[in-house]
Amino acid sequence: MGDVHGRTVESRAGVTAFLAGVWLIAAPPVLHFAASSHAFRPYWVSMGLAVVIMLLGMVRAMAPLDVPFIRHVTIGLALWLIVVALLRADGGTALVWLNQLVVGALIALSAGLALLISMRR
């Protein structure tokens, strides 16, 4: 059966990462610009990271304790997302970049808390 509390915490962190990835993909068009090909150029790295974070979040939600290294990968990707937002050299909108910072921090925090709770057990 396994550790029910650990599975619950890890599953919730996975759902949080999945929903955050969905929001990261939806945020640029919702928050700021019309759909043009050059408007998405500053966000392609962020959207690629969001897709990977979504997929990892889905795996963590479905099989929480079967692939424990995904926690570390998720934390690394969230930190990379924050670094990409801080480097913002492509001239994106400040609101979208602030959103990216907050969501990246949320993903890193939820994955870090899940890691901390699993280490305590």
Side-chain angles (χ1 to χ4, degrees):
M1 182 111 193
D3 182 19
V4 175
H5 180 67
R7 285 189 181 276
T8 303
V9 169
E10 195 64 34
S11 182
R12 287 180 183 165
V15 169
T16 301
F18 178 78
L19 292 175
V22 169
W23 174 248
L24 280 172
I25 290 173
V30 168
L31 293 177
H32 129 276
F33 55 83
S36 64
S37 62
H38 72 280
F40 282 97
R41 199 171 307 129
Y43 308 110
W44 72 270
V45 173
S46 306
M47 288 186 181
L49 287 172
V51 169
V52 174
I53 287 171
M54 278 175 45
L55 294 174
L56 292 176
M58 191 183 318
V59 169
R60 288 176 69 198
M62 302 287 265
L65 300 179
D66 295 339
V67 203
F69 69 89
I70 288 183
R71 283 179 243 148
H72 305 291
V73 174
T74 304
I75 293 169
L77 288 173
L79 293 176
W80 188 12
L81 191 64
I82 291 169
V83 168
V84 166
L86 291 175
L87 293 179
R88 66 175 253 202
D90 288 333
T93 302
L95 180 62
V96 175
W97 293 106
L98 178 64
N99 175 62
Q100 185 176 336
L101 282 172
V102 170
V103 172
L106 174 75
I107 295 168
L109 180 67
S110 70
L113 285 174
L115 179 64
L116 180 67
I117 290 170
S118 71
M119 287 174 45
R120 291 184 66 203
R121 292 199 151 269

